[in-house]
């Protein structure tokens, strides 16, 4: 029996710390894993006594790099392409046709989020499938966001270089079509697929989402697989609620097939899709679980090609969202709208704003809130119009230009978005997220020197701030976290 290096008191406190800061659940029976993770992070950081390293973590004296080292040791980065192929079958055969069919006569816009992407195999797999479903020239605009708490994994993902181990169970045709063989038995992803994915750090427990400002709003599909199992019960419930709010009406959530616990996903409609089970966001009273296409006959596959099917709880109707409680006649409709917006009840929030007197509906704050509501509904043209009205009402507030830039970026209008961001910086030269956003826009257009200039300015400003300082309009992002995101963007650009 192994003996832990850290004391039981320290491990108990660390268990609470990593659950609060990272969402990772380490009960007493897993304290040996926590002990090992701290020891490895301590060795990588500087050596010295693990107790002293743990004390720095617990007293808030640890650096951003130390926290990232600990996250890297405590999170599982092992994954591979087309992991749980039945879930990707559902994505290809049900989810994408549903979204394409519902939007083919509209804006032809599609947003996908891999919410715990690890080293990138999951979002790149989704990108390969998406590229086949939407060939060039189809007129669709798509966004594929990939986030993780582990910066080390994100750097590997952005590089797009993998060993044979990431292809276990994957047909050779996939590797030959999308990768170039490199020295040392490694394979580099082709630029066309790599450029479809945007990587960013995000803590599912601490950070604010959905938000148009970190692009986690109005998603059509969210992959959140094989990470919830490491969270506590309460953190799973909170995360599921935020993921629900991040989806558009009719959007899809794909979890790990070992994470199908009905208690956590009661707001969703449960859908049997072949041999997988996935979830859908529907308003009003949820339907009972239903099969949307029959499961194909079970066939033998090469060893390691898929995880065995998980036992699934018997389906039951999910509880509807609670109805808005009637408020007294003298209620503040704006505050009610804010509260409903925070709950992800966007339709009701918009209706609450409509009850404001005409003069208050025309105030900049109300118009900006309406813009956020419409953006989270995927109504981007309406959101942009509300932003412009907010600016007309208060043209000296940089936040409204910044909100407009986020909407314009999502609309695929980079020149107009950049113009709005330049106005943010004119009004507030120290508005760091605007410099970062300009760098991203330039990088996407291949303007490397311009991107480096904006990223460099952002890093210079961040260097003058406390690492834990929160940034405006960033969903809880701190100076240290944005600095890590910029370094990640520069690595992908290189």
């Amino acid at each position: 029996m192994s003996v832990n290096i850290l004391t039981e008191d320290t491990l108990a406190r660390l268990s609470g710390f990593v659950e609060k800061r990272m969402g990772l659940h380490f009960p007493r029976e897993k304290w040996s894993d926590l002990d090992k993770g701290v020891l490895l992070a301590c060795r990588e950081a500087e050596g010295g006594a693990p107790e002293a390293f743990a004390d720095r973590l617990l007293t808030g004296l640890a650096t951003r790099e130390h926290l990232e080292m600990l996250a890297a040791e405590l999170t599982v980065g092992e994954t591979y392409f087309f992991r749980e192929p039945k879930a990707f079958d559902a994505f290809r055969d049900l989810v994408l046709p549903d979204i394409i069919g519902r939007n083919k006569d509209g804006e032809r816009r599609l947003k996908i989020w891999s919410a715990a992407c690890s080293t990138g195999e999951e979002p790149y797999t989704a990108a390969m499938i998406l590229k086949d479903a939407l060939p060039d020239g189809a007129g669709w605009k798509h966004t594929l966001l990939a986030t993780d708490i582990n910066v080390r994994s994100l750097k590997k993902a952005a590089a797009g270089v993998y060993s044979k181990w990431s292809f276990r169970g994957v047909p050779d045709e996939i590797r030959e079509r999308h990768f170039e063989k490199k020295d040392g038995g490694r394979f580099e992803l082709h630029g066309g697929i790599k450029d479809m994915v945007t990587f960013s750090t995000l803590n599912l427990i601490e950070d604010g989402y959905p938000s148009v400002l970190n692009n986690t709003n109005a998603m059509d599909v969210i992959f959140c697989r094989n990470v919830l199992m490491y969270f506590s019960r309460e953190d799973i419930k909170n995360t599921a609620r935020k993921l629900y709010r991040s989806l558009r009406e009719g959007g899809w959530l794909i979890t790990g097939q070992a994470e199908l616990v009905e208690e956590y996903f009661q707001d969703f409609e449960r859908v049997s899709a072949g041999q997988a089970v996935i979830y859908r966001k529907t308003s009003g009273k949820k339907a009972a679980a239903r099969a949307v296409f029959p499961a194909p006959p079970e066939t033998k596959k090469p060893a390691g090609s898929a995880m065995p099917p998980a036992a699934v709880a018997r389906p039951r109707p999910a509880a509807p969202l609670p109805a808005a409680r009637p408020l007294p006649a003298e209620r503040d409709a704006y505050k009610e709208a804010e509260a409903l917006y925070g709950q992800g009840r966007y339709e009701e929030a918009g209706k609450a704003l409509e009850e404001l007197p005409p003069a208050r509906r025309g105030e900049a704050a109300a118009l900006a809130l309406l813009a956020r509501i419409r953006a989270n509904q995927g109504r981007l043209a309406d959101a942009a119009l509300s932003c412009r009205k907010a600016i007309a009402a208060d043209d000296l507030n940089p936040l409204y230009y910044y909100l407009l830039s986020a909407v314009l970026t999502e609309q695929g209008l980079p020149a107009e978005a950049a113009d709005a961001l330049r106005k943010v910086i004119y009004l507030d030269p120290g508005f760091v997220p605007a410099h970062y956003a300009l760098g991203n826009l330039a990088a996407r257009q291949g303007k490397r020197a311009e991107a480096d200039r904006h990223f460099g300015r952002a890093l210079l400003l961040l260097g003058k701030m406390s690492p834990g300082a929160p940034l405006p309009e960033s969903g809880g992002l701190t100076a240290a976290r944005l600095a890590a995101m910029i370094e990640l963007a520069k690595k992908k650009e290189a």
Side-chain angles (χ1 to χ4, degrees):
M1 180 177 176
S2 61
V3 178
N4 293 326
I5 294 175
L6 300 174
T7 66
E8 287 205 349
D9 177 67
T10 299
L11 287 168
R13 293 165 63 207
L14 280 171
S15 176
F17 172 82
V18 298
E19 182 167 326
K20 181 179 179 181
R21 293 294 302 273
M22 304 175 192
L24 303 175
H25 187 47
F26 281 85
R28 178 180 288 272
E29 58 268 24
K30 291 186 177 181
W31 280 4
S32 60
D33 295 332
L34 180 58
D35 185 77
K36 180 181 178 181
V38 173
L39 175 61
L40 293 174
C42 177
R43 287 176 178 172
E44 183 181 356
E46 59 192 21
E51 280 282 354
F53 182 77
D55 186 63
R56 283 197 297 277
L57 292 169
L58 294 168
T59 55
L61 298 178
T63 65
R64 169 179 59 86
E65 289 79 11
H66 291 165
L67 290 171
E68 290 174 359
M69 290 170 188
L70 180 61
E73 298 299 342
L74 297 180
T75 54
V76 177
E78 194 276 340
T79 185
Y80 48 92
F81 291 100
F82 290 88
R83 182 180 181 183
E84 290 187 334
K86 295 169 186 176
F88 283 112
D89 288 345
F91 174 65
R92 182 192 63 236
D93 298 335
L94 166 65
V95 172
L96 284 180
D98 171 73
I99 297 168
I100 292 170
R102 286 189 287 113
N103 294 282
K104 64 181 179 181
D105 297 324
E107 290 186 309
R108 294 200 169 205
R109 193 172 306 280
L110 196 155
K111 293 182 69 177
I112 300 170
W113 177 17
S114 172
C117 69
S118 186
T119 47
E121 287 91 336
E122 176 181 88
Y124 286 141
T125 297
M128 295 175 203
I129 295 173
L130 181 60
K131 189 172 181 64
D132 288 339
L134 297 175
D136 294 339
W140 284 79
K141 296 177 181 178
H142 49 74
T143 300
L144 214 167
L145 173 68
T147 65
D148 202 277
I149 192 176
N150 189 331
V151 175
R152 185 189 302 171
S153 293
L154 287 171
K155 289 179 179 178
K156 179 178 177 181
V161 179
Y162 298 92
S163 68
K164 286 185 178 180
W165 188 240
S166 290
F167 299 92
R168 52 196 184 276
V170 177
D172 291 342
E173 182 270 336
I174 297 290
R175 191 173 62 201
E176 292 166 1
R177 182 152 66 106
H178 294 295
F179 293 81
E180 178 182 351
K181 191 171 183 179
K182 310 294 285 187
D183 293 338
R186 300 177 71 76
F187 299 84
E188 183 172 1
L189 190 65
H190 289 163
I193 297 294
K194 190 190 297 187
D195 292 343
M196 291 174 67
V197 183
T198 300
F199 292 97
S200 181
T201 59
L202 188 137
N203 186 325
L204 288 171
I205 301 301
E206 285 193 335
D207 291 345
Y209 60 96
S211 171
V212 66
L213 302 173
N214 59 18
N215 205 26
T216 54
N217 65 300
M219 288 291 168
D220 292 291
V221 188
I222 299 176
F223 289 89
C224 187
R225 304 191 307 153
N226 306 307
V227 64
L228 298 177
M229 64 178 69
Y230 299 108
F231 290 4
S232 68
R233 287 166 56 92
E234 200 56 39
D235 284 334
I236 294 174
K237 291 179 180 178
N238 290 335
T239 300
R241 283 192 286 266
K242 290 195 283 186
L243 294 176
Y244 181 89
R245 297 199 298 269
S246 297
L247 285 166
R248 297 179 69 170
E249 182 66 22
W252 299 87
L253 172 66
I254 302 176
T255 68
Q257 295 301 287
E259 299 169 313
L260 301 170
V261 181
E262 293 303 294
E263 172 189 358
Y264 305 134
F265 305 105
Q266 293 185 17
D267 289 340
F268 293 87
E269 176 187 5
R270 175 189 171 109
V271 177
S272 296
Q275 295 178 23
V277 172
I278 58 180
Y279 296 100
R280 188 175 192 181
K281 177 176 179 175
T282 56
S283 62
K285 187 173 177 61
K286 310 300 184 295
R290 58 188 178 90
V292 293
F293 63 88
E298 189 70 56
T299 57
K300 291 186 177 181
K301 296 187 177 182
S305 64
M307 293 179 66
V312 179
R314 185 170 182 170
R316 60 192 174 103
L321 286 171
R325 187 175 60 180
L327 295 175
E330 64 273 14
R331 76 185 192 281
D332 187 329
Y334 178 79
K335 289 184 178 179
E336 181 183 348
E338 277 190 317
L340 291 166
Y341 172 79
Q343 297 169 24
R345 295 159 65 169
Y346 305 123
E347 191 69 30
E348 295 171 74
K351 290 179 179 178
L353 284 179
E354 292 174 1
E355 297 180 25
L356 286 171
R360 286 205 66 191
R361 281 205 303 272
E363 292 177 356
L367 290 163
L369 177 57
L370 182 60
R372 294 173 190 272
I373 291 168
R374 297 306 182 224
N376 278 284
Q377 290 176 308
R379 296 169 55 179
L380 299 180
D382 291 338
L385 179 60
S386 294
C387 284
R388 295 187 190 282
K389 288 181 177 179
I391 290 169
D394 181 3
D395 62 358
L396 296 180
N397 192 325
L399 299 182
Y400 301 150
Y401 292 98
Y402 186 63
L403 179 58
L404 175 61
S405 74
V407 174
L408 292 170
T409 299
E410 195 168 334
Q411 286 184 293
L413 300 170
E416 292 89 337
D419 183 59
L421 288 167
R422 283 190 284 269
K423 289 175 181 175
V424 174
I425 293 171
Y426 174 78
L427 291 168
D428 183 358
F431 200 105
V432 183
H435 292 282
Y436 170 63
L438 277 169
N440 275 333
L441 285 173
R444 289 171 195 160
Q445 298 174 72
K447 301 176 181 178
R448 184 168 178 176
E450 184 179 338
D452 286 344
R453 186 171 69 254
H454 291 303
F455 287 148
R457 179 60 180 167
L459 288 172
L460 181 65
L461 291 167
L462 289 169
K464 299 176 182 179
M465 300 173 66
S466 168
L471 297 170
E473 297 297 300
S474 60
L477 196 66
T478 64
R481 292 277 305 287
L482 182 57
M485 290 167 64
I486 293 173
E487 295 297 343
L488 184 66
K490 291 174 65 177
K491 182 176 180 63
K492 185 172 183 180
E493 183 192 4

